[in-house]
Amino acid sequence: MSKWVYGFGGGAADGDASMKNLLGGKGANLAEMSSLGLPVPPGMTITTEACVHYYSNGQTYPDALKGQVAEGLAKVEGVVGKRFGDAANPLLVSVRSGARASMPGMMDTVLNLGLNDQTVEGLAGLSGDRRFAFDSYRRFITMYSNVVLGIGHDRFEELLDDHKDRLGVSIDTDLTAKDWERLVGDYKTLVEQELGRPFPQDPHDQLWGAIGAVFASWMNDRAKFYRRMHDIPESWGTAVNVQSMVFGNMGETSATGVAFTRNPSTGEARLYGEFLINAQGEDVVAGIRTPQSLTRAGREEMGDKAPSMEEAMPEVFGQFVDVIGRLESHYRDMQDIEFTVEQGRLWMLQTRNGKRTAKSALKVAVDLASEGVISREEAVSRVEPAALDQLLHPTLDPMAHRHVIATGLPASPGAATGKIVFDADEAERLNQLGDAVILVREETSPEDIHGMHAARGIVTARGGMTSHAAVVARGMGRPCVSGAGEIRIDDKAGEFTARGRTFRAGQIITIDGAKGEVLDGAVDMIEPELTGDFQTLMGWADEVRRLRVRANAETPHDAKTARGFGAEGIGLCRTEHMFFDGDRIAAVREMILADDEAGRRAALAKIAPFQKADFVELFEIMAGLPVTIRLLDPPLHEFIPHDEADIDALAASSGLDAGKLKRRARELHETNPMLGHRGCRLGVAYPEIYEMQVRAILEAALEVKARSGDAPIPEIMHPLVALGLEMKYLRELTDRTATAVFEAAGDRVEYLVGTMIELPRAALRAGDLAEHAEFFSFGTNDLTQTTFGISRDDSGRFLQAYLDKGVFETDPFVRLDQEGVGELIEIATERGRKTRPGMKLGICGEHGGDPASISFCESIGLDYVSCSPYRVPIARLAAAQAALAAASGEEREKDR
């Protein structure tokens, strides 16, 4: 019989940390902490396989699950000496999700489960604190009604606010036992009014309602969005953790908190976190109350008055520091920890590898390697390549004028400027229109995840350094200022006030997440300096990677940026981008309008000096490195307007004949230009175009050689080739032109001739092409389009439906389709190298900067990847990790 439930607690566990796929991250680590003898409230984990079964079988549970849950519950009862549903001595439990990848706040949690009108009295008697018992009951009704029964959390908050207003109090801790008891009655009345039935009183019904709700939350909108954002497969499912409750809201000797063993923003090696006295965990992470610092030093830095945990609970704090030190040492990584203190006794509720900013990730990895805790190779493997994007963009200029309008906590570093928005949906809408926005909220909730992703930065009026906004923003790499209490938000009016001023939706503000400041207007930025830990880690990465990394670049600025980021050449220079500037576009249009070859050559002669000058500059920037230059690719119609008014305006400004322009536009019109007269088909139909470009490339190379003595090696690439005879024709055209250039110059340079593989036929007949091509570069943007028959320009109309329904696991234009497009690349690689052993092979589509796609390139033996300049460091690190993974796989094979 399948085992669906694994127990933990009481110094023992059925599982361990290695079983994360089965038990989820939370369940695996609870089991591990239990086995280490740490103080963990006992409980049980329902496996991820049970969730997969649930969705594969019409949302029904495995037959044996109920019996195994009952057995697990009995074991917990035996450890704690309480019984579930017992009116005199009740066991209460929490029910939490736990996927194998951390998804903070995306799925549902229920605390204090097992309370009803009888057990609340038992809890009051056992604790000797009626106020605590009814505070716990009202929390349970709120969470259960929201998560399981579908009644909005805000309905209960309105009742609570009304109650506090009537009593003239401002914080929850001012309410008495009678106040909470009265509010519980109001809450139950609300539930019955909404649902037409009473709030459920049977603890076992409550438990299965919560288990079902956690499984259901795996498929809620925010969880789906988060999975797409972080490439977490839907097929993984979530585990469910049912754990005996411990209470941080049992008075002044009780507390709850969140801690990181190192600073998740900077990586500094000291304790970082927050806690609240007389509270439950949701109070800290939800940002409902502003928490206190864990350490005295942290309190002093923040200028807080409330005592730190170190000062308020020195004995427990000492125990806590010892435990978290053991955890970091055991896991050999920075830990994110949740804990509760119940009447002076410490309990550990969770540990996991902490989410961190890229800056912190680099520092922690480099420091741990320097301390000898992990190897350099492990350090390289621990930094998420995509996270480096956070480091590669500008920050606020320290010399710029700063008009501070509010201050809060420096929850997530970085800087951003944008329009104020108060609503997550509006943030997403404006972002899709191309507007930069700053999301300003009282506090964020998991439902805001799409708006947080769309925003450039986030500001919250409430919440601490470990609130939902702070944790999620750090994981996303978004700057965040939390707990900016000066800000008073009026959602209905669409404005906030701060320091006597009013700011409305659409106004521009800037935030500095490193200082916790909100600034008026736009503030100047400066380019990043990638030194220190970044250089150290990237140096280690470069030592182990096999794949070379080039950049897609055609402008001097892009080429210089790419060199600064460590690019080892240019893998794609799109020459058509050089045609659109002022004088050039006029000559291009003159060529298009020409009636014969002589007219075209006369126009091309005007373009040639510009092309040559461009190539000279690129060759000098990329001194000694390869530069792959793609000859003209787009159809000619892209160089002339199509609207009659635009054509008339162009004719008037350029002196070109309007009638001739309109006639030529009609002649060039194609029903499907992506598959039309473009790429090498232009070179075959109008060989003079490619002759001009080849001449410009080689003359530029000769000029750079004469100046510097160091000749570049240009790689001349013909696009959209499908036939061996096409490649033969184009190779002969290139070589014939080169011979003429070299004879005229009395000198020569080395060059390569190759093609871009972007058609299925080219991949299948790669052996034919390799007879005449010295290199292949896989243009995976077009190869994906032509393989799927999907236009990437238009696929946005339906692609989201495919992702939502699980037809596509990921966007094939973002993550290489390894089964289809990847197989074509493998075929072309094998057949090309069979004809031409040692043939140089690379990839230059957008997939060249995607870590998973880079891993595939490593696995099939490509020589290089090429990506946009700002993704070069990402590609360097991903290539190193791919090489380490490949080596690890080979070692495992040897051990078998």
Side-chain angles (χ1 to χ4, degrees), residues 494-571:
E495 62 188 29
F496 73 77
T497 56
R499 301 188 182 184
R501 294 183 59 193
T502 299
F503 297 84
R504 294 182 173 82
Q507 285 185 244
I508 300 295
I509 58 172
T510 297
I511 65 171
D512 185 341
K515 290 190 174 181
E517 293 181 345
V518 184
L519 312 167
D520 187 15
V523 179
D524 291 341
M525 305 271 185
I526 57 171
E527 291 298 317
E529 291 185 16
L530 301 176
T531 55
D533 294 326
F534 177 88
Q535 278 192 330
T536 299
L537 191 87
M538 295 308 293
W540 295 346
D542 291 342
E543 288 172 7
V544 299
R545 69 181 165 90
R546 183 194 63 82
L547 278 169
R548 301 295 90 192
V549 177
R550 303 190 194 180
N552 300 338
E554 46 274 339
T555 68
H557 176 268
D558 284 351
K560 289 174 183 174
T561 300
R563 281 302 305 268
F565 287 150
E568 298 162 304
I570 291 177

Side-chain angles (χ1 to χ4, degrees), residues 8 13 15-18 27-38 330-331:
F8 59 84
D16 58 46
S18 69
N29 287 331
L30 285 168
E32 188 80 0
M33 287 196 294
S34 297
S35 298
L36 291 171
L38 298 182
H330 180 75
Y331 283 99

Side-chain angles (χ1 to χ4, degrees), residues 68 115 227 336 629 666:
Q68 291 185 20
L115 280 173
R227 287 200 296 272
D336 171 2
I629 300 168
R666 287 193 298 273

Side-chain angles (χ1 to χ4, degrees), residues 258-259 271-275 292-295 308-310 317 339:
V258 176
L271 179 59
Y272 174 100
E274 299 166 321
F275 85 119
Q292 298 153 235
S293 294
L294 286 176
T295 64
S308 65
M309 184 180 176
E310 183 178 9
F317 180 77
F339 66 94

Side-chain angles (χ1 to χ4, degrees), residues 8 40-44 76 80 91-94 242-246 349:
F8 59 84
V40 176
M44 58 183 160
V76 175
V80 300
L91 167 67
L92 304 183
V93 298
S94 63
V242 180
Q243 190 173 18
S244 57
M245 284 295 302
V246 289
L349 305 182

Side-chain angles (χ1 to χ4, degrees), residues 222-448:
R222 62 181 186 266
K224 287 180 181 178
F225 186 90
Y226 191 92
R227 287 200 296 272
R228 283 199 302 270
M229 192 167 56
H230 293 279
D231 295 323
I232 299 171
E234 182 182 297
S235 59
W236 282 3
T238 182
V240 179
N241 297 288
V242 180
Q243 190 173 18
S244 57
M245 284 295 302
V246 289
F247 298 96
N249 58 330
M250 290 186 75
E252 296 304 304
T253 60
S254 300
T256 188
V258 176
F260 293 82
T261 55
R262 300 181 186 230
N263 188 309
S265 292
T266 67
E268 188 180 1
R270 64 173 183 165
L271 179 59
Y272 174 100
E274 299 166 321
F275 85 119
L276 277 170
I277 292 174
N278 197 17
Q280 286 197 328
E282 293 302 300
D283 297 341
V284 178
V285 297
I288 292 168
R289 287 169 57 188
T290 299
Q292 298 153 235
S293 294
L294 286 176
T295 64
R296 178 178 177 176
R299 177 184 66 77
E300 291 173 347
E301 282 180 14
M302 293 295 180
D304 292 340
K305 297 288 190 292
S308 65
M309 184 180 176
E310 183 178 9
E311 295 162 309
M313 299 178 166
E315 186 175 338
V316 178
F317 180 77
Q319 297 170 18
F320 179 66
V321 169
D322 177 62
V323 168
I324 65 172
R326 288 178 63 190
L327 286 171
E328 179 171 288
S329 177
H330 180 75
Y331 283 99
R332 300 187 309 132
D333 201 355
M334 180 188 92
Q335 293 299 289
D336 171 2
I337 292 156
E338 292 180 19
F339 66 94
T340 285
V341 179
E342 182 183 85
Q343 295 183 320
R345 184 176 180 185
L346 176 66
W347 293 96
M348 305 303 293
L349 305 182
Q350 173 176 287
T351 192
R352 61 188 175 194
N353 292 341
K355 289 194 175 295
R356 63 205 79 178
T357 63
K359 180 180 179 181
S360 174
L362 285 168
K363 181 166 181 55
V364 170
V366 171
D367 283 355
L368 288 174
S370 301
E371 294 163 15
V373 176
I374 61 176
S375 67
R376 288 183 175 185
E377 290 77 14
E378 283 181 284
V380 167
S381 296
R382 284 196 177 180
V383 177
E384 179 64 36
L388 294 182
D389 192 49
Q390 299 171 31
L391 303 175
L392 308 179
H393 298 283
T395 55
L396 292 186
D397 185 345
M399 304 304 292
H401 173 70
R402 302 164 72 98
H403 184 177
V404 179
I405 59 175
T407 59
L409 301 173
S412 183
T417 296
K419 294 179 178 179
I420 297 167
V421 294
F422 297 101
D423 177 77
D425 292 338
E426 180 69 359
E428 185 174 55
R429 186 186 72 82
L430 290 175
N431 176 64
Q432 289 171 348
L433 294 175
D435 290 345
V437 299
I438 305 293
L439 181 62
V440 181
R441 302 281 281 162
E442 194 71 35
E443 65 205 27
T444 63
S445 73
E447 282 73 20
D448 294 321

